[in-house]
Amino acid sequence: MTIEKIGVIGAGQMGNGIAHVMALAGYEVLLTDINQQALDQALETIRRNLARQVGRGLVPEADMEDALGRIGSTLKLTDLGATDLVIEAATERESVKQAIFEDLQPHLRPHTILTSNTSSISITRLASRTDRPERFMGFHFMNPVPVMQLVELIRGIATDEETYRACLGVVERLGKTAASAEDFPGFIVNRILMPMINEAVYTLYEGVGNVKSIDQSMKLGANHPMGPLELADFIGLDTCLAIMNVLHDGLADTKYRPCPLLTKYVEAGWLGRKTGRGFYDYRGDEPVPTR
């Protein structure tokens, strides 16, 4: 099937990044959110990030204007019914995602493919609540979307080959690389990454090292571009905790037990960069470790 028009649900960090790369690749994009301010901010973020790419010589200025012209926005979820592919990038809560698909489903074309940008929730289970499990799959972008080259494609138990091939074609048109993952908790990237971050939090919790020494050790000792606690703040501590809970519940192994300190930070509302405080305090000119 031919995919030309793409709907993106959620105008947050992931949603605006997905809209950005899709429009730049020539797709017509319709971005939706429940909040007009979020949509306005997303469009401004896309414009700013495209301008940065133009400034670095990565994107011609004419392509930037063309891409911006291909992005529409709406507060009505049902407007996405006329698209060929829907990518849900809403809050990482299964009940929220299920409600979105339930509301959208009656308005979809028969051929429309439904996908979720979930980082850990079962694709098979999400698909089973829709009228098209064979045309449903995981479409997991990495953050920040315009920069990161990998996209995880996750097939549910019912996903058909045509749907997989259509989504693979989109990834290739974006100039990114697809990694095929089976539908198990955390898929590939987060199955490996999140336990490492969680172990870093345990290392802090148990007093083995402080924030600075833990991050410095992994940057200089393992050549990681960001320390694990710095990376957790970038991702969002609430997202890290949600993924660890999915791993712990889905795999029933104590090695995936979320660190109590991670839970405490989330309870405090210290979620990382997006709230101004996490393992670092971002409210000043330079980030300062909070422990």
Side-chain angles (χ1 to χ4, degrees):
M1 64 168 292
T2 302
I3 294 174
E4 293 298 338
K5 190 166 186 178
I6 295 175
V8 180
I9 302 171
Q13 192 173 33
M14 296 304 294
N16 74 58
I18 294 167
H20 172 146
V21 298
M22 291 295 180
L24 199 55
Y27 291 105
E28 293 293 324
V29 179
L30 186 57
L31 180 64
T32 187
D33 201 281
I34 57 173
N35 186 302
Q36 184 61 51
Q37 185 179 2
L39 286 172
D40 294 341
Q41 288 177 345
L43 293 171
E44 180 54 37
T45 298
I46 293 168
R47 177 176 287 279
R48 186 169 62 248
N49 289 339
L50 280 168
R52 187 177 293 122
Q53 289 178 310
V54 170
R56 292 176 179 169
L58 302 173
V59 173
E61 190 164 355
D63 288 1
M64 167 183 164
E65 295 304 324
D66 288 346
L68 289 169
R70 283 191 283 267
I71 302 173
S73 65
T74 180
L75 290 171
K76 292 175 63 178
L77 177 65
T78 55
D79 288 347
L80 271 62
T83 60
D84 304 310
L85 169 68
V86 173
I87 303 173
E88 171 272 316
T91 304
E92 188 69 355
R93 290 209 307 272
E94 188 166 348
S95 59
V96 172
K97 295 178 186 299
Q98 286 177 352
I100 288 170
F101 291 129
E102 185 177 325
D103 289 346
L104 180 60
Q105 190 172 279
H107 306 277
L108 294 173
R109 295 180 185 180
H111 73 268
T112 301
I113 294 173
L114 286 178
T115 69
S116 176
N117 185 58
T118 179
S119 50
S120 60
I121 296 168
S122 168
I123 297 302
T124 297
R125 198 164 60 239
L126 287 173
S128 71
R129 307 293 178 88
T130 74
D131 65 346
R132 59 195 67 211
E134 71 286 351
R135 288 192 298 283
F136 191 110
M137 70 181 301
F139 210 135
H140 182 213
F141 287 85
M142 305 297 124
N143 185 31
V145 178
V147 175
M148 302 297 279
Q149 289 301 302
L150 185 75
V151 179
E152 282 183 315
L153 292 180
I154 307 101
R155 279 185 268 209
I157 196 169
T159 306
D160 64 25
E161 185 65 18
E162 184 183 8
T163 296
Y164 171 75
R165 289 291 168 191
C167 290
L168 179 61
V170 172
V171 175
E172 290 172 345
R173 182 165 159 180
L174 295 177
K176 295 186 183 293
T177 299
S180 296
E182 292 301 314
D183 186 24
F184 289 98
F187 315 132
I188 295 173
V189 173
N190 283 317
R191 174 75 176 266
I192 297 167
L193 175 64
M194 284 303 159
M196 184 198 76
I197 288 175
N198 194 52
E199 196 62 29
V201 183
Y202 266 115
T203 306
L204 178 65
Y205 177 62
E206 294 168 5
V208 180
N210 60 27
V211 169
K212 182 179 179 181
S213 64
I214 292 166
D215 277 351
Q216 196 171 55
S217 294
M218 294 307 293
K219 284 193 283 188
L220 302 181
N223 206 28
H224 289 190
M226 296 174 73
L229 301 176
E230 182 185 6
L231 179 57
D233 276 357
F234 181 76
I235 294 168
L237 303 193
D238 52 340
T239 300
C240 293
L241 179 59
I243 295 170
M244 285 309 302
N245 280 325
V246 167
L247 289 172
H248 190 230
D249 295 344
L251 298 169
D253 192 323
T254 56
K255 73 180 182 181
Y256 299 113
R257 181 171 68 97
C259 180
L261 184 60
L262 177 61
T263 302
K264 189 65 67 179
Y265 268 66
V266 173
E267 288 174 344
W270 292 18
L271 307 182
R273 286 180 177 270
K274 61 187 175 184
T275 58
R277 275 190 291 190
F279 292 113
Y280 292 84
D281 189 328
Y282 299 92
R283 295 174 296 172
D285 294 334
E286 295 288 334
V288 177
T290 54
R291 285 177 94 86

